[in-house]
Every structure is written in C-alpha cells, then in structure tokens.
C-alpha cells in the first residue's frame, strides 16, 4: 500500500512489537461503571484536568491513610509542592552536570564486561544501568552490599506485599501495595535494611541534593521513605530498563535505523528514541478517577462522566491515534510530522501534573548507553523473550542475549566512540 509517509520514512517495515494481539481502536467506551479512554485527545484532557480528575490515592486501608502517600498518589497542593521541590533533581542542567559523567563511566564498565565475556543478557545490563542511575537521584548510594537491582526486583515482586487479596491492575499497584504493609515490611525487606536505611542514616547527619534528603527535611519517616524509594524503583528503574531493551531490539533488527541513530546528532538520536517509546509505551495503562462531573467531546458526541467514576487510559491506543499521530501510526517513523503540542513520545511519559519528572534523564541515559552499545560489532543471538505482564500492564523483555565479536567485521565501527560524544 502506498502511503503519504513513503518518501519520508525509511523504516516502514519496523512495526510495533508489543501489540499482543488485542489492540483497540481509538475512542471512548463505557464498560459497566468504568470508562475506557482510548483517544489521544480524551486521555490528554483527563491527564491535564487536575481540578476534576485525581490519581485516586484514597484507600480504605488504615495504614495507608496514616502514611503520607508517595508522589505518584498525591494530588492537589501537596503534590504540587512535592513536584516543585524535586524538579531541581531532574533538570537537563542537573542531569548534564551531576549525572552525565557517572552514566558515561557506568556505560564503559558495562561495555567492558560485555566485551570481555563476548556475550551478555542485555536485560541484565539495562537493569544495572537504570538502577544505579536512578539510585543517585534518589540518594540510594550507601548500600551495605552490591546487588540492589536484585533486591529491588525481590521487593517489587513479593506476593507478600499484596494484602488486598485481589490481583494488581496497574504498574503502580506494587507501590500501593508496598504502602499498605505493616511495619513488618521494614524488618523483612532486605532492600530496606541494606540500601534504604543506611542512606537515611547517612543523610540525617549529612543532607545532600537528592530525594531522600528532601523527604527527611519534610519529616518523612522511614516507612514513608521506603515507599517513596519503591515508587522510584517502579517508575524510574523498571521502566527505563524495559525501554532500553526495546530500543536496542528495534535497532539491532534494522540496520538502516541503527546507522541513522549512530550517525545522528543528539537531537536526531532523541527523536528516534522518542518515536520508539511512542510506538512501544512501557507504561501502557494509566488510571484516574473523577471527583467532579467531566464532559469529553469525541467523534461529534459529548460523553458525560459523573463524579466518582474510574477511568482506564489505554496509552498504547492513544499513541496510535491516527487523527493525531498521522498515517500508519503503528509504523516506526521518527520523521513523522506531529501537530504542535504533541510530543514525539506522545503520552508515554504521561501528561499534566503527574507527567514523568524523569523523562529527560531516562532518554539521556538510554542514549548514552545505546550509542556506545550499538557502535560495537554486536548482534542478537535468537529472539528475546517478550511477555506482557498483565498484572502491571507493561511489557517485559528477558533473555536478550547479544554477542560482541571485535574481529567479525559485523556491526558498526565509528571512530572516536570510546566515550559518548558530547553532541
Ligand atoms: C523510559 C523510562 C520511563 C517511562 C516510560 C516513564 C513513564 C512514566 C509515566 C507514564 C508516568 C506518569 C504516571 C501517571 O500519570 O500516573 C511517570 C511518573 C513518574 N516517573 Fe517516570 N518514566 C520513566 C523513567 C523515569 C525515571 C528515570 C525516573 C526517576 C529517576 C522516573 C520517575 C517518575 C516519578 C517519580 C513519577 C511520579 C510523578 C508524579 O506522580 O508526579 N521515571 N513515569
């Protein structure tokens, strides 16, 4: 089929990997008491309407009511103040001045390990990278032992964390469950004992420029800080890990895309990464609740959603809404012309008050690592294992084995790629 994208988009055969055979059409649908928002405009309206729409952090759990909720479940003034206070940890200037050199160094360490071994599981490398980078922003830098990535995995996957007896239905539910635990969580969690508590103790005497120091200055207790750390682990570490895997997969499969990425300046490389993230949103579902009546216009009709209604925002479908994204929305096309106000990654970082504060950091660290990785003579061994974690509504890539043969003549050789270029 000929399309208007033909002359501009060279990667037309590269398509969404994470369709999982149940893609929907953009639109708005009521199913019982729940509204499903699958149009880009509707989802954006709801995400930006912080007057009438909330995260819905309220819970009947007594302990949760007594705890300060983590940032992701805050609303209103409390949330605004928190976001204003932490914004300084995520600015492009902070990322460049405080984190870039570390990301570069860590990348080199991971690359040398890969080169020495000749092969590696990319999902392990990307987890280590994303955990260590986010840990510095949070202030988790005083661990008593190595292996924080494994302890985080264990803390987040523990069934013991779910006291509700119901299946979790969103990517942040693990955090909510963590927050509903009794203080025994503190005793049983090796993540707390080995990573979080030492960080808190160090910052009580010597505050630093990081999230934990900020929370201490606001009087947060240990349990509240642990829950906030688990929020960052879910929101910042797990997400970035999966995204790096997905971006590498697309580029290792499409040599033309990989070459364009390696040859591009930073703007071009970020454009490619944003387009991959649009097509393959790691957080595929967001949840909201109306606190006032809300009206959404869609397809010539007005949909009246009463106060107190739960809404499920289907980000994979909103990101492929042809009316906004343009023709062939399920095709990877970094050159697509998006209307003004629509970002390259569409709603993959959310929007409005809760929009991801780590968006720039995530793309920057992914870029530093991927640029170095993909300039190696590297190829995939078999097809990575791709699953949809239905509990989290997020994809997971595992067993992503790559091999690196310096003498094979394969891959891409660029001069001067020993460290990530500043451009
Ligand atoms: C590719 C990687 C990432 C993706 C796809 C991603 C995606 C998202 C999305 C969709 C939200 C909005 C949730 C909502 O509206 O309910 C969010 C929020 C958040 N993200 Fe990210 N994120 C990524 C990386 C990061 C990083 C690196 C950090 C920090 C180190 C981070 C920290 C957070 C925090 C703290 C929130 C909660 C903000 C709030 O509720 O005000 N994220 N992220």
């Amino acid at each position: 089929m000929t399309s208007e994208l033909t002359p501009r988009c060279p990667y037309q055969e590269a398509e969404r990997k994470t369709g999982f055979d149940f893609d929907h059409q953009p639109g708005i649908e009521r199913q019982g008491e729940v509204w499903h928002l699958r149009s880009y405009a509707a989802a954006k309206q709801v995400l930006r309407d912080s007057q009438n729409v909330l995260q819905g952090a309220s819970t009947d759990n007594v302990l949760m009511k007594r705890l300060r909720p983590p940032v992701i479940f805050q609303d209103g003034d409390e949330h605004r103040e928190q976001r204003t206070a932490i914004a300084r940890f995520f600015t492009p200037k902070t990322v460049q001045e405080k984190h870039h050199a570390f990301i570069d160094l860590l990348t080199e360490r991971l690359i040398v390990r890969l080169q020495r071994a000749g092969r590696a599981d990319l999902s392990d490398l990307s987890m280590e990278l994303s955990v260590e980078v986010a840990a510095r922003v949070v202030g988790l830098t005083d661990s008593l032992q190595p292996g924080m990535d494994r302890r985080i995995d264990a803390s987040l996957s523990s069934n013991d964390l779910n006291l509700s007896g119901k299946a979790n239905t969103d990517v942040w539910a693990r955090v909510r469950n963590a927050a509903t635990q009794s203080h025994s969580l503190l005793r049983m969690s090796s993540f707390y004992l080995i990573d979080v508590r030492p960080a808190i103790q160090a910052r009580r005497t010597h505050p630093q420029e990081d999230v934990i120091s900020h929370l201490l200055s606001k009087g947060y207790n240990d349990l509240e800080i642990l829950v906030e750390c688990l929020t960052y682990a879910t929101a910042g570490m797990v997400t970035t890990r999966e995204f790096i895997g997905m971006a590498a997969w697309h580029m290792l499969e499409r040599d033309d895309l990989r070459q364009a990425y390696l040859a591009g300046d930073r703007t071009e490389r970020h454009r490619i990464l944003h387009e991959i993230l649009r097509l393959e949103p790691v957080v595929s579902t967001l949840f909201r609740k109306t606190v006032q009546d809300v009206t959404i216009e869609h397809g010539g009709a007005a949909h009246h959603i009463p106060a107190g209604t739960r809404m499920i925002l289907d980000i994979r479908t909103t990101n492929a809404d042809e009316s906004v994204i343009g023709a062939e929305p399920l095709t990877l096309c970094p050159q697509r012309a998006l209307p003004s106000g629509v970002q390259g990654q569409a709603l993959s970082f959310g929007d409005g008050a809760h929009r991801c504060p780590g968006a720039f950091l995530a793309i920057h660290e992914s870029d530093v690592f991927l640029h170095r990785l993909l300039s190696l003579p590297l190829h995939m061994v078999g097809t990575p294992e791709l699953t949809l974690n239905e509990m989290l509504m997020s994809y997971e890539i595992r067993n992503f084995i790559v091999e690196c043969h310096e003498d094979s003549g394969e891959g891409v050789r660029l001069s001067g790629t020993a460290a990530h270029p500043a451009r």
Side-chain angles (χ1 to χ4, degrees):
M1 188 177 76
T2 325
S3 104
E4 61 188 71
L5 289 178
T6 304
R8 289 184 288 116
C9 182
Y11 321 113
Q12 286 196 42
E13 288 158 41
E15 294 195 335
R16 176 175 277 174
K17 296 183 187 301
T18 55
F20 295 112
D21 292 334
F22 57 84
D23 281 325
H24 294 280
Q25 289 303 311
I28 298 177
E29 189 189 350
R30 181 182 165 175
Q31 283 178 9
E33 296 307 305
V34 180
W35 285 73
H36 293 261
L37 305 189
R38 303 191 184 106
S39 110
Y40 176 93
K44 186 168 180 162
Q45 175 185 333
V46 158
L47 289 172
R48 291 193 164 197
D49 186 358
S50 47
Q51 290 295 318
N52 302 315
V53 177
L54 299 183
Q55 274 283 31
S58 61
T59 163
D60 293 334
N61 184 287
V62 177
L63 185 74
M64 183 69 176
K65 278 190 171 153
R66 281 163 44 189
L67 282 180
R68 263 179 280 206
V71 60
I72 192 109
F73 294 132
Q74 291 175 339
D75 281 301
D77 289 344
E78 184 187 34
H79 179 250
R80 246 188 313 279
E81 280 165 28
Q82 175 85 317
R83 286 296 301 254
T84 306
I86 62 170
R88 65 184 193 277
F89 304 137
F90 296 98
T91 62
K93 189 166 181 279
T94 305
V95 170
Q96 189 62 41
E97 290 176 1
K98 199 173 167 202
H99 303 303
H100 176 79
F102 175 79
I103 295 169
D104 231 6
L105 204 71
L106 178 55
T107 294
E108 276 314 299
R109 203 171 81 202
L110 296 172
I111 295 291
V112 166
R113 194 191 305 161
L114 163 64
Q115 285 175 314
R116 286 205 180 126
R119 65 154 57 196
D121 185 339
L122 199 48
S123 68
D124 290 340
L125 300 186
S126 60
M127 181 67 170
E128 201 171 320
L129 179 87
S130 59
V131 165
E132 289 208 29
V133 172
R136 282 170 57 91
V137 176
V138 177
L140 288 167
T141 55
D142 298 270
S143 301
L144 302 177
Q145 289 169 22
M148 183 162 55
D149 47 347
R150 290 190 299 278
R151 289 187 291 279
I152 285 175
D153 247 354
S155 297
L156 291 176
S157 62
S158 169
N159 287 332
D160 296 341
L161 289 178
N162 188 350
L163 291 185
S164 69
K166 288 184 252 161
N168 294 332
T169 49
D170 71 273
V171 75
W172 314 115
R174 293 201 230 179
V175 176
R176 192 191 327 252
N177 289 329
T180 61
Q181 303 308 298
S182 72
H183 285 264
S184 66
L185 176 67
L186 296 184
R187 289 193 300 276
M188 66 185 229
S189 164
S190 60
F191 174 50
Y192 169 71
L193 293 173
I194 298 172
D195 305 292
V196 179
R197 192 170 64 175
I200 294 173
Q201 283 167 347
R203 279 152 187 79
R204 278 197 205 284
T205 43
H206 294 99
Q208 298 181 26
E209 271 294 290
D210 54 39
V211 175
I212 292 178
S213 303
H214 161 69
L215 298 176
L216 284 170
S217 76
K218 294 289 166 194
Y220 277 56
N221 66 32
D222 279 24
L223 182 56
E224 289 165 339
I225 293 176
L226 171 62
V227 171
E228 195 77 41
C229 289
L230 288 168
T231 302
Y232 279 85
T234 314
M237 299 172 180
V238 174
T239 46
T240 309
R241 172 207 205 166
E242 303 303 346
F243 171 62
I244 289 174
M246 184 53 77
W249 189 355
H250 271 281
M251 290 196 265
L252 284 168
E253 244 179 24
R254 301 280 319 187
D255 199 50
D256 45 359
L257 180 63
R258 179 180 179 179
Q259 297 286 353
Y261 175 75
L262 290 173
D265 60 12
R266 191 199 307 234
T267 307
E268 179 54 21
R269 295 197 306 270
H270 283 203
R271 196 199 321 277
I272 291 172
L273 295 180
H274 281 135
E275 171 67 355
I276 294 173
L277 187 56
R278 175 196 69 79
L279 191 62
E280 318 275 15
V282 186
V283 180
S284 69
T285 310
L286 292 174
F287 295 80
R288 292 295 190 270
K289 195 172 183 179
T290 53
V291 282
Q292 305 284 341
D293 294 357
V294 168
T295 300
I296 299 176
E297 310 278 345
H298 178 75
H303 301 270
H304 301 290
I305 306 182
T309 304
R310 280 206 315 122
M311 290 177 292
I312 299 180
L313 282 57
D314 173 352
I315 303 303
R316 286 189 311 147
T317 308
T318 64
N319 280 9
D321 185 339
E322 201 166 346
S323 69
V324 173
I325 302 304
E328 299 185 22
L330 293 174
T331 298
L332 181 68
C333 182
Q335 286 79 22
R336 62 175 70 251
L338 296 169
S340 105
V342 178
Q343 299 194 320
Q345 76 282 356
L347 297 177
S348 292
F349 283 126
D351 203 347
H354 287 275
R355 185 184 186 276
C356 179
F360 180 82
L361 174 64
I363 294 298
H364 182 80
E365 67 173 291
S366 302
D367 182 39
V368 171
F369 178 71
L370 287 166
H371 189 272
R372 182 75 180 96
L373 180 84
L374 295 170
S375 63
L376 297 172
L378 191 79
H379 65 263
M380 295 196 289
V381 179
T383 306
E385 197 181 294
L386 173 69
T387 51
L388 175 69
N389 184 328
E390 291 192 29
M391 195 168 76
L392 305 175
M393 288 312 288
S394 152
Y395 57 79
E396 287 179 353
I397 302 172
R398 297 294 176 271
N399 290 322
F400 192 164
I401 309 300
V402 289
E403 270 182 358
C404 174
H405 295 299
E406 295 293 351
D407 300 319
S408 71
E410 290 180 46
V412 183
R413 289 173 192 281
L414 292 184
S415 57
T417 52
H420 186 256
R423 74 203 166 99

